[in-house]
Amino acid sequence: LDRMVTVPQSAAEVPKDSSLVPIYPGEKMTLRDLLYGLMIRSGNDAANAVAESVSGSVEKFVEEMNRKAQALGMNNTHFVNPHGYHDANHYTTARDLATLSRYAMTNNAVVRIAAATQYTLPATSRRPELLLTSTTELLNPLHPLYYRGAYGIKSGFTRAAGFCYAGAASKEGRTMIAVTLFCRTRNQAWRDMARLFNYGFSK
């Protein structure tokens, strides 16, 4: 994760209405910094940069994503890009996202990054230091919809999919993973996550 990466041109080759970190082709940063930008800011630019730095190209990374999905038994999932921007052939299910989340959260580095609510990207030759701050109200102790014990994992939004969230929460040594899809508002997602967590912990 501390490997230095030169941000590739593919980072700039995202749809115009994409969410961005932002990062810029040619700047140098660690893979760790790119992952924080991807997870906290939902940066499509960071997703492409991670993909190319790991697999050599965005296309090859997507092929590897699909192979991994099949290996994990995510039989109703097909990826077209590394960031989730809408495509008719890019789809998944709540069950498959829960399967992916459970697998990902066995990696301690993923847990730390997914649970982060703030992270400072060091200055580069292209920009000053940048403070990343999570807008996930579920994780904010000062917000009315805060859920004690929740940590991560990842939000997403497109007009077609609505507001989506894969989350984890721990209580008394147990961890629950829940997924909400097609919520019309963020608050609906947080309320549904709380209901799912409470249901799981009650069993």
Side-chain angles (χ1 to χ4, degrees):
L1 294 182
D2 292 321
R3 175 167 62 91
M4 293 300 297
V5 172
T6 300
V7 175
Q9 181 60 35
S10 61
E13 295 169 355
V14 294
K16 293 188 184 306
D17 58 344
S18 288
S19 54
L20 305 172
V21 175
I23 57 175
Y24 305 97
E27 69 177 313
K28 298 184 187 301
M29 55 200 304
T30 64
L31 183 58
R32 184 188 311 275
D33 289 344
L34 286 172
L35 289 171
Y36 275 102
L38 167 65
M39 295 297 285
I40 295 178
R41 280 280 181 91
S42 292
N44 291 3
D45 47 358
N48 275 7
V50 169
E52 186 165 339
S53 69
V54 168
S55 301
S57 72
V58 170
E59 293 74 19
K60 186 178 178 188
F61 187 81
V62 171
E63 291 174 7
E64 293 177 6
M65 289 173 70
N66 283 311
R67 281 199 295 272
K68 190 65 173 183
Q70 288 301 302
L72 292 174
M74 297 167 59
N75 296 323
N76 294 299
T77 293
H78 182 258
F79 298 118
V80 175
N81 58 59
H83 43 64
Y85 193 90
H86 178 72
D87 186 290
N89 293 313
H90 186 112
Y91 54 84
T92 190
T93 65
R95 182 186 181 93
D96 283 1
L97 286 178
T99 297
L100 177 60
S101 297
R102 182 171 57 188
Y103 172 77
M105 297 298 271
T106 63
N107 183 304
N108 289 334
V110 172
V111 172
R112 285 193 296 274
I113 295 170
T117 56
Q118 278 195 340
Y119 185 77
T120 300
L121 293 179
T124 71
S125 61
R126 298 293 308 276
R127 56 160 177 79
E129 183 178 271
L130 178 62
L131 175 63
L132 307 178
T133 302
S134 171
T135 59
T136 302
E137 292 89 351
L138 190 75
L139 309 181
N140 182 353
L142 301 178
H143 194 276
L145 295 177
Y146 169 68
Y147 191 91
R148 184 180 298 276
Y151 61 99
I153 304 171
K154 188 71 188 75
S155 62
F157 173 83
T158 68
R159 282 187 293 275
F163 187 78
C164 306
Y165 194 75
S170 288
K171 182 179 180 181
E172 298 175 353
R174 302 172 69 202
T175 297
M176 294 291 157
I177 289 174
V179 176
T180 59
L181 303 177
F182 201 57
C183 295
R184 301 324 301 167
T185 68
R186 294 170 64 88
N187 285 356
Q188 179 192 343
W190 307 144
R191 292 189 181 99
D192 285 350
M193 292 297 290
R195 292 187 186 102
L196 289 167
F197 285 147
N198 289 338
Y199 176 79
F201 286 125
S202 73
K203 300 298 178 181

